Amino acid sequence: MSEHGRSEHSLSEYAQANRANWDDRASAHADRGPHGYQVSHYIDDREAISGVVRFDLPRLGSIEGLRVVHLQCHIGTDTLSLARLGAQVTGLDFSSVSIEEARRLVADTGDDVDFVVSDVYDATEVLTPGSFDLVYTGVGALCWLPRIQPWAAVVADLLAPGGSLFLREGHPILWSMDERLDDDLHLRFPYFERPEPLEWDSDTTYVETQRPITATRTYEWNHSLGEIVTALITAGLRIDLLVEHDSVPWEALPGQMVARPDGEFALAALDGVAPLSYTLRASKPA
């Protein structure tokens, strides 16, 4: 891993590397056995919803009958969970393999979900602007985007008047931490958005898989909480809710976290000293 990106890479080359990594992850995550996302659970239990969406429910509220787009949907487990709550859902992801796996999953589960392949910045070219009541995006999405302001503009463009954004994401403080050091918390990586990304090289992913990842190089960007909020306000949205949480739905800091019964992970010895994720809701004026 290099703390400083390499200037000879263009953003399109960063995106190509990340797409290759997510194509590889998708096939590993969609394993029908006990590994990956355990997708067989959604096939065997037609009422099951993901732990991420279950955590979101108290702040998400009823979405019965809403037109929902799930940006950066990966293999669709959260997407079909939203559909099982009564929404009319479209999932979007830049990884064609992710979308293939998502379509295969809902073909087996019988859930009525549409999926499209697109970079999130180009979402309004493949989806009708102003046609969604809710834009939903989940944990681990924004760090793959070089710039937060154009993302916020896309969200605003997709929403119908009166529609809202629901975002739960890893906290930028968490993305600033270096989990490879000792059993204390260390802020090492940029908190604020920078032109050049952090470069990573790893053959593992955040869930157990049967095989290592072969497209190992990835590039990520952090965006401060203030930058995210300001981008949404600049795009014309109103901030309705901002809640910081002391947990995340994966073991983000290995060896320093404890699992909770709801599938979330919290800091062990230092519980509560830092926010690990947050939920944000914003709305488009009617």
Side-chain angles (χ1 to χ4, degrees):
M1 193 281 298
S2 170
E3 285 186 55
H4 308 286
R6 296 191 309 219
S7 59
E8 67 266 23
H9 280 283
S10 69
L11 291 181
S12 63
E13 288 173 319
Y14 295 140
Q16 288 170 14
N18 287 344
R19 184 181 292 113
N21 177 264
W22 281 100
D23 284 348
D24 202 6
R25 291 194 202 201
S27 56
H29 289 174
D31 179 83
R32 297 302 172 99
H35 303 283
Y37 273 46
Q38 301 180 347
V39 297
S40 295
H41 175 57
Y42 301 95
I43 299 170
D44 297 337
D45 182 355
R46 302 302 171 90
E47 296 184 357
I49 62 173
S50 69
V52 168
V53 172
R54 186 179 301 108
F55 182 95
D56 290 339
L57 279 175
R59 287 159 290 276
L60 183 61
S62 174
I63 59 172
E64 181 80 31
L66 297 187
R67 301 164 297 171
V68 177
V69 59
H70 179 192
L71 300 181
Q72 296 169 270
C73 68
H74 193 35
I75 62 171
T77 53
D78 294 338
T79 322
L80 68 82
S81 298
L82 297 171
R84 290 180 177 185
L85 296 177
Q88 177 187 338
V89 189
T90 299
L92 177 146
D93 200 275
F94 77 154
S95 163
S96 60
V97 179
S98 290
I99 294 302
E100 288 171 9
E101 294 291 356
R103 288 171 176 161
R104 185 163 74 100
L105 176 58
V106 297
D108 289 340
T109 65
D111 291 291
D112 184 13
V113 182
D114 293 325
F115 290 99
V116 295
V117 179
S118 173
D119 186 280
V120 69
Y121 290 133
D122 299 327
T124 55
E125 297 180 14
V126 297
L127 300 171
T128 304
S131 62
F132 294 97
D133 304 305
L134 178 69
V135 171
Y136 178 95
T137 191
V139 179
L142 299 189
C143 62
W144 303 99
L145 304 179
R147 305 290 177 266
I148 203 63
Q149 194 134 359
W151 166 84
V154 166
V155 169
D157 287 344
L158 289 172
L159 286 172
S164 62
L165 163 71
F166 186 97
L167 165 68
R168 188 195 177 206
E169 180 56 284
H171 202 285
I173 283 289
L174 175 63
W175 301 134
S176 299
M177 294 179 187
D178 191 343
E179 77 280 7
R180 302 166 304 167
L181 301 179
D182 57 37
D183 59 355
D184 205 349
L185 300 182
H186 297 268
L187 297 183
R188 179 182 178 188
F189 304 117
Y191 176 81
F192 299 99
E193 182 180 292
R194 288 186 174 179
E196 295 295 326
L198 294 176
E199 179 182 319
W200 302 91
D201 198 335
S202 174
D203 65 357
T204 62
T205 178
Y206 49 87
V207 294
E208 183 182 359
T209 58
Q210 284 191 307
R211 61 170 178 81
I213 302 301
T214 57
T216 59
R217 187 159 296 175
T218 57
Y219 300 91
E220 299 179 28
W221 296 260
N222 204 358
H223 314 284
S224 75
L225 200 56
E227 289 167 341
I228 294 165
V229 167
T230 300
L232 292 168
I233 294 172
T234 301
L237 301 184
R238 181 187 66 210
I239 306 302
D240 299 315
L241 174 76
L242 178 59
V243 179
E244 295 171 296
H245 308 291
D246 64 355
S247 66
V248 287
W250 84 102
E251 192 177 8
L253 301 167
Q256 300 188 54
M257 309 192 85
V258 292
R260 290 178 171 172
D262 60 358
E264 293 282 305
F265 288 84
L267 291 170
L270 299 170
D271 186 24
V273 304
L276 301 180
S277 64
Y278 66 94
T279 296
L280 184 152
R281 289 203 65 144
S283 56
K284 185 173 184 175

